[in-house]
């Protein structure tokens, strides 16, 4: 399970990077980018919070987030 940041939508507010620093980072222009790491179950809530807080809907799951039943 990974996430993707649409670089055409990101405006560099940085809220997502604060909420999910292990999965999102700023690039040279201050825009968010995914680190490309798999999202473990313990990180799902923080990554989902980062997705939810983005005012431009620039972040999305590449697949549905894992549920407790999938483990």
């Amino acid at each position: 399970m990974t996430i993707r940041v649409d670089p055409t939508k990101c405006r560099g507010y940085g809220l997502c990077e604060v909420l999910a620093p292990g999965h999102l980072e700023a690039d040279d222009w201050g825009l968010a980018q995914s680190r490309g790491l798999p999202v473990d179950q313990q990180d799902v809530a923080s990554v989902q919070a980062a997705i939810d807080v983005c005012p431009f809907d620039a972040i999305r799951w590449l697949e549905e987030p894992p549920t407790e039943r999938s483990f």
Side-chain angles (χ1 to χ4, degrees):
M1 183 73 38
T2 57
I3 55 173
R4 181 181 188 283
V5 178
D6 183 339
T8 65
K9 291 183 178 181
C10 181
R11 297 295 179 257
Y13 282 23
L15 300 172
C16 61
E17 297 154 32
V18 172
L19 293 170
H23 295 280
L24 296 159
E25 63 186 358
D27 64 13
D28 292 340
W29 297 278
L31 303 177
Q33 66 180 7
S34 171
R35 292 180 182 235
L37 302 173
V39 179
D40 295 327
Q41 183 64 36
Q42 69 265 14
D43 294 333
V44 169
S46 63
V47 170
Q48 186 61 55
I51 291 170
D52 293 342
V53 76
C54 179
F56 297 99
D57 295 322
I59 311 163
R60 65 179 175 88
W61 292 103
L62 289 180
E63 302 166 11
E64 288 298 314
T67 64
E68 290 182 27
R69 290 184 177 180
S70 63
F71 287 91

